[in-house]
Amino acid sequence: KKMRLSVSPASLLALLFLPGASAFAPHRGHAARGSSPLSMSAVERNANFGKLAGGYLFPEIGRRRNAFLAENPDANIISLGIGDTTRAIPPTILAGLQRGVSLLGDESTYTGYGDGNGREDLRTKIAEVLYGSRISPNDVFVSDGAKCDIARLQMMFGPGVTSGVQDPSYPVYVDTSVMVGQTGTQDESTSQYGGIVYMECNPGNGFFPDLDKVKADVIYICSPNNPTGACATREQLENAVKICKERGSILVFDAAYAPFITSPGTPKSIYEIPGAEDVAIECNSFSKYAGFTGVRLGWTIVPEGIKFKDGTPVRQDFNRVFNTAFNGASNIVQEGGMAILSPEGMKEIDVLIAYYLENASILRTTMEGLGYVVHGGVDAPYIFVELPEGKKSWDVFSEILESAQVVTIPGAGFGPGGEGFLRLSAFAPRDGILEACERLKKTMAK
């Protein structure tokens, strides 16, 4: 007769962790070589990270907010800071997300790994609904957001290029340039990194750089702009495309706030400009379209016609980075994306955008009524307020937090060109916007 060996799960687990019994068992050999464990590894730190000055802006805002709350636990803070949506996801779009979950609960409709670049039907919808079929679905890379894609683009471009960034600008352009090794150290006197071209943007030039003076391999333009709220005109973008063609530069166009543009004639996409498909990459996101800041779904357009100096299609290399560093957007979330792009979903988007634009109008009117010069807030959810001469933006941030219990964003956090400005976000609930305005009328009265 054959003998049967009965082993309980607990006994089996104990056997697995006998010395040498399993590849997963902890190894003790190294600790025996010295009298005490190492306090650090022998691995050299990536020197580029040592160049980064301070922490990333928005976590730093959160840290200061939390520190204030720790000292003032009864404070009623209103956030006009980070651009995080607050309205609930609309019914049609929510139903799409719920459908995405349900499909995974039935073996006949279950899906695992999909196309790393996104569902073909979603890429087709993006091309048709948002771009009027001006671009091919094959040029669309569905992702987890524009910010992540900018980092992936930087990984693709590598350390050998010179990046031109608007000053002030969204911090991800500068920080990722530093991380991949495109820069030198930061000059403390100017708060600028060597190796980056800081394209001056100010009220005098409508917060759009003079590209005739810019010499950069990759140029980053955000419109509607974060933080200034300025929108590039058709003429400005036509000139940008023309210059990039003449100089062999690549334009990265961040259009994450495009749905807030309501003024006739203002381009929502760089591909409204003839010839842009030869020089321009566009990043976009459903974060602000549909309240997907926590859901995560975006896309990047890399047209087939853009090529590197040696003739290699840029799309080929981005595809390699994308599918190496990313496994594709969630199946659930992509189903939600399909719902967004339905006729009913797009109507719900219009309602959301109108709500936030009304908030922006209230903030803009309030600050103008207090005598401040204000930018943005018309085709954008951000208001960029000029501070009195000599006022430092971080100081004003602290004053408002302590006196009004309102969180804002100091302009200096967006680069040296943002010093002397304060950014207000229109993404708070309406009652919060109204209450914040009443508090600001007292704290910021001139």
Side-chain angles (χ1 to χ4, degrees), residues 5 32-33 89 145 159 167 179 181 202-203 243 248 268 287 298 301 335 381 394 411 413-414 422 427 436 445:
L5 180 63
R33 294 175 186 172
I89 292 175
D167 182 27
M179 289 176 178
N202 54 51
I243 287 175
K268 293 185 177 183
S287 289
I301 311 295
E335 192 68 31
W394 276 107
F414 298 97
L422 196 71
F427 287 112

Side-chain angles (χ1 to χ4, degrees), residues 189-374:
S189 65
T190 63
S191 297
Q192 294 183 343
Y193 290 95
I196 291 180
V197 177
Y198 288 82
M199 304 185 299
E200 185 178 1
C201 296
N202 54 51
N205 61 16
F207 292 104
F208 194 86
D210 182 356
L211 295 179
D212 291 316
K213 299 178 180 178
V214 173
K215 293 183 179 179
D217 301 310
V218 182
I219 296 173
Y220 292 87
I221 296 291
C222 178
S223 179
N225 187 263
N226 178 13
T228 68
C231 290
T233 66
R234 183 172 299 277
E235 292 73 24
Q236 288 170 335
L237 294 182
E238 286 173 346
N239 188 53
V241 168
K242 173 176 173 288
I243 287 175
C244 285
K245 282 193 170 188
E246 292 173 349
R247 298 181 180 173
S249 300
I250 292 177
L251 175 64
V252 176
F253 191 74
D254 185 344
Y257 298 95
F260 291 90
I261 295 176
T262 57
S263 296
T266 302
K268 293 185 177 183
S269 168
I270 192 63
Y271 302 118
E272 295 179 38
I273 308 302
E277 65 279 1
D278 297 326
V279 296
I281 294 168
E282 181 167 302
C283 300
N284 213 318
S285 167
F286 285 122
S287 289
K288 306 307 193 291
Y289 275 74
F292 269 33
T293 50
V295 179
R296 310 308 306 156
L297 188 65
W299 68 94
T300 287
I301 311 295
V302 187
E304 183 180 12
I306 308 176
K307 292 180 171 61
F308 287 113
K309 186 176 182 180
D310 68 354
T312 303
V314 172
R315 191 175 74 182
Q316 174 182 311
D317 285 3
F318 187 69
N319 182 73
R320 180 61 185 268
V321 170
F322 200 79
N323 284 278
T324 299
F326 183 58
N327 254 355
S330 157
N331 297 341
I332 297 168
V333 176
Q334 291 191 72
E335 192 68 31
M338 290 295 292
I340 290 173
L341 297 173
S342 69
E344 297 80 9
M346 294 301 287
K347 289 178 183 177
E348 292 175 344
I349 295 300
D350 289 342
V351 173
L352 280 178
I353 296 301
Y355 179 90
Y356 291 128
L357 282 176
E358 179 62 24
N359 281 355
S361 177
I362 292 169
L363 288 171
R364 182 182 174 99
T365 300
T366 297
M367 299 312 297
E368 287 177 334
L370 292 172
Y372 289 89
V373 176
V374 180

Side-chain angles (χ1 to χ4, degrees), residues 77-101:
I77 290 181
I78 299 172
S79 179
L80 304 182
I82 187 170
D84 193 2
T85 52
T86 54
R87 300 293 287 172
I89 292 175
T92 299
I93 302 167
L94 183 62
L97 291 169
Q98 292 169 331
R99 183 167 57 253
V101 174

Side-chain angles (χ1 to χ4, degrees), residues 27-246:
H27 294 276
R28 299 181 176 85
H30 297 297
R33 294 175 186 172
S35 58
S36 62
L38 291 171
S39 59
M40 63 189 74
S41 76
V43 178
E44 293 284 348
R45 184 189 186 198
N46 183 334
N48 295 314
F49 282 76
K51 300 174 187 175
L52 290 166
Y56 190 67
L57 173 61
F58 301 114
E60 175 61 19
I61 295 294
R63 186 192 68 78
R64 296 190 184 208
R65 176 185 183 276
N66 292 337
F68 178 80
L69 277 174
E71 295 181 2
N72 305 274
D74 296 327
N76 178 20
I77 290 181
I78 299 172
S79 179
L80 304 182
I82 187 170
D84 193 2
T85 52
T86 54
R87 300 293 287 172
I89 292 175
T92 299
I93 302 167
L94 183 62
L97 291 169
Q98 292 169 331
R99 183 167 57 253
V101 174
S102 298
L103 290 171
L104 297 180
D106 187 322
E107 288 188 5
S108 66
T109 54
Y110 172 84
T111 52
Y113 291 126
D115 186 331
N117 294 349
R119 287 171 41 170
E120 184 177 3
D121 55 352
L122 178 56
R123 289 186 283 115
T124 299
K125 276 285 187 184
I126 289 172
E128 292 176 352
V129 176
L130 300 180
Y131 294 92
S133 298
R134 285 187 296 268
I135 54 101
S136 166
N138 294 329
D139 298 337
V140 181
F141 293 79
V142 176
S143 72
D144 50 348
K147 177 181 179 180
C148 307
D149 281 348
I150 289 165
R152 294 179 185 117
L153 286 169
Q154 289 278 38
M155 187 188 304
M156 176 191 70
F157 289 130
V161 303
T162 299
S163 290
V165 301
Q166 291 174 280
D167 182 27
S169 69
Y170 184 45
V172 70
Y173 315 126
V174 169
D175 284 14
T176 53
S177 295
V178 177
M179 289 176 178
V180 300
Q182 296 173 7
T183 77
T185 57
Q186 189 184 70
D187 184 331
E188 292 185 5
S189 65
T190 63
S191 297
Q192 294 183 343
Y193 290 95
I196 291 180
V197 177
Y198 288 82
M199 304 185 299
E200 185 178 1
C201 296
N202 54 51
N205 61 16
F207 292 104
F208 194 86
D210 182 356
L211 295 179
D212 291 316
K213 299 178 180 178
V214 173
K215 293 183 179 179
D217 301 310
V218 182
I219 296 173
Y220 292 87
I221 296 291
C222 178
S223 179
N225 187 263
N226 178 13
T228 68
C231 290
T233 66
R234 183 172 299 277
E235 292 73 24
Q236 288 170 335
L237 294 182
E238 286 173 346
N239 188 53
V241 168
K242 173 176 173 288
I243 287 175
C244 285
K245 282 193 170 188
E246 292 173 349

